[in-house]
Amino acid sequence: MARLLMGAGDDAGGQKLLFELLRDSAGRLVENPGHLPTILERADAMLLLKRPDDVRLMIRDFIGMESGSQSAREEAAVRDVYGRACIMKFDELSGYSADVMKNAKTPEELRFNDVSGNELIPLAVEAAQIPSSSFGAVERLSRLALSSH
């Protein structure tokens, strides 16, 4: 519902729902800290709120707590959300966006924010190791290679 509201231009309404979801899910995690559906629900809400750092920390904590106890499907879901958070953080730091790509006629016209490649490369490398985000990571690495970073 929050995603639909935000897509329809009601960012405030969507954000209100997301903050309610985060508050409610925090209580569920107190009862069961390793409950994967709740963690994934929180991660998705945080990504919609553009909080990739929080997602990356939460997933790292979850992996440390639950190492080896997930099914292959659960592990893929965790890796997917972590990859999306890495891509989002790369885009946040770099200024990379679909609009930038659409408006650039040549590779030279692509401009990244004034951020070190040393900050961007680890994010893209982490995302590239995850099948669901590998294409986006490789695309960003190639754009970075064409930039002045």
Side-chain angles (χ1 to χ4, degrees), residues 1-114:
M1 182 63 131
R3 190 182 315 269
L4 292 174
L5 285 172
M6 293 171 84
D10 185 3
D11 288 347
Q15 289 174 355
K16 181 179 182 230
L17 286 176
L18 292 170
F19 285 122
E20 288 175 15
L21 182 146
L22 290 174
R23 187 181 57 246
D24 293 345
S25 63
R28 291 193 309 268
L29 284 180
V30 168
E31 297 169 15
N32 185 358
H35 189 246
L36 183 59
T38 301
I39 289 169
L40 294 174
E41 179 181 64
R42 285 181 63 81
D44 194 43
M46 288 177 193
L47 288 174
L48 287 170
L49 291 168
K50 300 189 183 341
R51 294 171 45 189
D53 289 329
D54 292 336
V55 173
R56 293 174 64 231
L57 288 171
M58 182 178 63
I59 295 299
R60 285 180 183 159
D61 288 346
F62 173 77
I63 289 170
M65 177 178 40
E66 297 290 323
S67 184
S69 65
Q70 302 98 0
S71 69
R73 183 175 173 192
E74 290 170 331
E75 185 177 327
V78 170
R79 291 173 57 82
D80 174 67
V81 76
Y82 187 80
R84 290 185 349 209
C86 289
I87 294 286
M88 181 181 279
K89 184 63 180 178
F90 182 102
D91 293 351
E92 175 187 300
L93 288 173
S94 69
Y96 183 96
S97 71
D99 289 336
V100 169
M101 293 300 300
K102 188 174 19 173
N103 295 327
K105 307 262 187 285
T106 66
E108 293 77 25
E109 292 179 14
L110 292 173
R111 298 284 183 255
F112 287 98
N113 289 342
D114 189 22

